[in-house]
Amino acid sequence: MERSPVIRFAYGEQIPIELHKVRMVQKLHLKPIDERLEAVKAAGYNSFLMSTRDIFLDMLTDSGTNAMSDQQVSSMLRADDAYAGSQSFDRAKQAVQDVFNTKYFLPVHQGRAAEHILAQAFIKQGHIVPMNYHFTTTKAHFELPGGVIDEIFTDEGLKIKSTCPFKGNIDLAKLKGLIKKHGAEKIPFIRMEASTNLIGGQPFSVANMRQVRKVCDKHGIMMVLDASLIGENAYFVKQREAAFKKKSIAEILHAICDLADLIYFSSRKVSSTRGGGICTNQKKLYDKLKDLVILYEGFLTYGGMSVREIEAMAIGLRETQDETVIGQSPSFIKYLVETLDKAGVPVVTPPGGLGCHVDARGFLPHVPQTEYPAGALIAAFYMASGVRGMERGTISSVRDDTGKDVLADVELMRLAMPRRVFTLSQVKYVADRLQWLYKNRKLIGGLTFEYEPTVLRFFLGRLVPTSDWPQKLAAKFKKDFGESL
Ligand SMILES: *Cc1c(COP(=O)(O)O)cnc(C)c1O
């Protein structure tokens, strides 16, 4: 069996290694510090408003930014153009069956489309949907028909520093309490998200999911699995859950999927393509959903996807059974997180499967939450490195009725690790520039809104620094690195 992509050098450290070769490349731009200062200012100090023209390493997200394999790209050539009955769909259906162990498959155009269909089919006004943690699109879609999200993560879930291997677990006592309080009839389903995205790509254990399943069975509640990040979850189960050490990833994927009544996924993540899907072994569920898929997504053999995307998705799903493929990102993330942790830079531990999450409150204790430390850190880190991260803090939150910021539970800079996109020397560069920034953290100040949209302000909002700290930071950078970038 092929092993995970970590090797031990005979002389020196243990490092993650790229078990693929690069056969098509895209030129990157590492602009000088003065141009970076201008670019971040022109973008209103909001990383969503930057152009990749000005970015060296884009660590905003792993959504739709992963590298495809040669097998995936070549599969697109044999795609079978047909509105109905395309053989591309047959191949995708077979891949879904082999990987997730489910007979029925409904394609949709991306993950949130699956959430929309589930919300339409199952959620009514006053329903409660318990879950380990929400994802932005999940919450929005489940609340539209009047549902309420109840997050029942364990106490370890939101801790910055932790050694808990499964921060994505559901707290069973909270789950039982919730069922007792509301009654099972108010709960259309329990949702478990693999590698909980918003709390750092942290997995759940199979043991925990089995216990949740038992509770579901006792009360006749349906169990839904969001498998968008299931590859990493399966990888961590193999690494961290003793009972699965000797199992193959394919077996672990089945062990997880067999516990769910219904599975949905975003292919933008799990198979490095576009699209998504819903799958189940229960014909009753399939029949309930298929009309909605036709109505909102398209005919049952394409569901809003192109046949080329369907072919690439089928191969991408099969590749999640390969430990050397799904282990690539987590092994790089582990390297980055451990390097930073050793250097004293405050990062979320243990390493997750999505990216490296830097604790902005620990990094910038002198910047109050009302001046957006996570947003300021992202702007400062872009200046220091040309690397783009994403804010997961108070800027991504909202204001209350009195106009005050609702302060976020955690202030994080997320540095996502798109699958098979970066090399180790690039990851080392990220670690180095972040350590430099940490040494110079006192130079970083806060931000304030100049233009603030009323909904989803983090996407289009524009900010300005509360002092001339960006100039001071740039001056220090030039002093330390000279003309070097
Ligand atoms: C990205 C994501 C979604 C939504 O998928 P899209 O393809 O972006 O619509 C849902 N759940 C999780 C866990 C995700 O990471």
Side-chain angles (χ1 to χ4, degrees):
M1 196 179 6
E2 285 183 292
R3 298 300 312 280
S4 68
V6 178
I7 62 153
R8 194 187 300 278
F9 280 171
Y11 308 101
E13 44 178 359
Q14 181 170 307
I15 57 153
I17 197 151
E18 298 83 352
L19 286 175
H20 52 259
K21 60 179 178 180
V22 181
R23 294 167 61 215
M24 191 193 280
V25 295
Q26 179 181 351
K27 188 173 159 51
L28 293 172
H29 308 279
L30 180 49
K31 297 201 161 168
I33 178 80
D34 285 334
E35 290 180 34
R36 299 204 292 259
L37 193 63
E38 278 310 306
V40 73
K41 185 176 167 199
Y45 294 86
N46 178 350
S47 63
F48 277 104
L49 297 180
M50 302 201 72
S51 161
T52 55
R53 223 181 11 246
D54 299 317
I55 291 165
F56 176 42
L57 305 176
D58 191 3
M59 303 182 87
L60 184 76
T61 175
D62 65 328
S63 177
T65 55
N66 303 306
M68 278 204 270
S69 69
D70 52 352
Q71 305 290 323
Q72 285 185 286
V73 174
S74 58
S75 76
M76 292 169 109
L77 278 178
R78 69 162 181 176
D80 178 23
D81 281 302
Y83 187 91
S86 162
Q87 292 173 65
S88 297
F89 174 74
D90 294 339
R91 288 190 273 271
K93 186 168 174 245
Q94 192 58 51
V96 167
Q97 175 151 8
D98 294 345
V99 178
F100 295 148
N101 211 16
T102 50
K103 273 200 295 245
Y104 301 104
F105 172 53
L106 292 162
V108 295
H109 81 275
Q110 62 185 82
R112 71 197 67 183
E115 291 168 338
H116 170 225
I117 303 278
L118 294 193
Q120 287 253 350
F122 301 116
I123 301 177
K124 306 269 174 307
Q125 182 71 38
H127 274 174
I128 314 287
V129 189
M131 55 185 70
N132 48 355
Y133 208 72
H134 79 281
F135 184 68
T136 48
T137 55
T138 319
K139 185 167 153 76
H141 277 293
F142 289 7
E143 285 177 352
L144 269 180
V148 176
I149 301 294
D150 204 331
E151 291 166 320
I152 43 172
F153 49 84
T154 62
D155 292 342
E156 284 293 316
L158 289 191
K159 278 194 193 143
I160 300 284
K161 286 261 166 291
S162 167
T163 52
C164 173
F166 294 108
K167 282 165 119 181
N169 278 357
I170 278 186
D171 185 318
L172 289 158
K174 286 185 198 160
L175 174 61
K176 287 173 191 163
L178 194 144
I179 296 172
K180 201 161 176 197
K181 183 167 158 212
H182 301 286
E185 60 290 346
K186 276 265 176 69
I187 301 173
F189 56 84
I190 290 170
R191 171 179 173 275
M192 275 194 96
E193 181 180 313
S195 300
T196 37
N197 188 328
L198 295 189
I199 58 174
Q202 300 287 337
F204 56 69
S205 67
V206 177
N208 181 254
M209 192 173 176
R210 279 190 183 139
Q211 286 168 315
V212 174
R213 177 77 234 185
K214 265 197 199 139
V215 177
C216 285
D217 286 342
K218 182 166 171 211
H219 297 276
I221 300 173
M222 179 164 77
M223 160 95 98
V224 170
L225 170 69
D226 179 340
S228 302
L229 304 172
I230 194 158
E232 288 78 9
N233 206 116
Y235 177 77
F236 286 129
V237 164
K238 187 166 166 83
Q239 299 264 317
R240 300 178 184 174
E241 194 166 356
F244 291 89
K245 216 178 163 137
K246 297 231 165 73
K247 300 274 185 217
S248 70
I249 296 294
E251 288 168 325
I252 295 171
L253 286 169
H254 282 201
I256 295 172
C257 292
D258 288 351
L259 292 167
D261 294 294
L262 191 141
I263 302 166
Y264 75 89
F265 58 90
S266 163
S267 275
R268 297 176 64 84
K269 327 273 171 57
V270 69
S271 62
S272 304
T273 48
R274 307 285 179 272
I278 305 172
C279 32
T280 178
N281 274 317
Q282 298 171 32
K283 182 151 192 315
K284 216 172 64 200
L285 290 177
Y286 171 80
D287 284 339
K288 189 173 167 92
L289 301 177
K290 70 181 191 312
D291 295 343
L292 291 168
V293 169
I294 289 184
L295 184 61
Y296 292 107
E297 297 299 302
F299 192 66
L300 297 180
T301 53
Y302 73 91
M305 299 169 72
S306 77
V307 280
R308 279 156 202 80
E309 290 166 342
I310 291 175
E311 291 281 1
M313 178 181 85
I315 304 285
L317 286 176
R318 290 194 185 283
E319 288 177 353
T320 60
Q321 295 177 319
D322 182 339
E323 191 174 342
T324 72
V325 171
I326 57 169
Q328 195 70 55
S329 270
S331 64
F332 272 34
I333 291 163
K334 182 168 186 282
Y335 180 88
L336 180 56
V337 167
E338 287 178 352
T339 305
L340 292 169
D341 196 33
K342 253 182 240 146
V345 180
V347 284
V348 172
T349 58
L354 183 82
C356 169
H357 293 64
V358 183
D359 173 27
R361 250 192 295 182
F363 205 107
L364 303 173
H366 55 284
V367 177
Q369 263 189 291
T370 46
E371 290 184 17
Y372 313 125
L377 180 56
I378 285 151
F381 189 46
Y382 169 75
M383 283 182 245
S385 65
V387 176
R388 168 161 77 167
M390 186 191 283
E391 201 261 4
R392 299 261 74 129
T394 299
I395 294 179
S396 300
S397 180
V398 290
R399 288 188 190 271
D400 65 16
D401 295 340
T402 69
K404 277 211 206 86
D405 277 312
V406 177
L407 302 179
D409 295 336
V410 282
E411 294 283 345
L412 300 177
M413 167 167 79
R414 180 178 93 175
L415 299 172
M417 194 75 72
R419 294 164 185 83
R420 292 181 290 182
V421 170
F422 299 133
T423 61
L424 190 61
S425 58
Q426 291 171 328
V427 173
K428 285 188 164 196
Y429 170 83
V430 172
D432 178 79
R433 287 301 190 262
L434 201 50
Q435 286 174 66
W436 177 85
L437 193 62
Y438 189 61
K439 279 219 174 74
N440 292 284
R441 61 192 180 276
K442 295 257 161 58
L443 291 174
I444 304 171
L447 296 173
T448 181
F449 271 101
E450 180 190 51
Y451 161 69
E452 186 176 344
T454 49
V455 287
L456 298 176
R457 62 181 184 173
F458 60 93
F459 278 132
L460 299 179
R462 300 184 66 85
L463 299 104
V464 287
T466 51
S467 69
D468 64 349
W469 67 261
Q471 285 73 21
K472 291 200 172 116
L473 185 67
K476 181 67 170 37
F477 184 93
K478 280 194 260 188
K479 187 162 165 264
D480 287 359
F481 293 103
E483 286 309 302
S484 154
L485 296 171

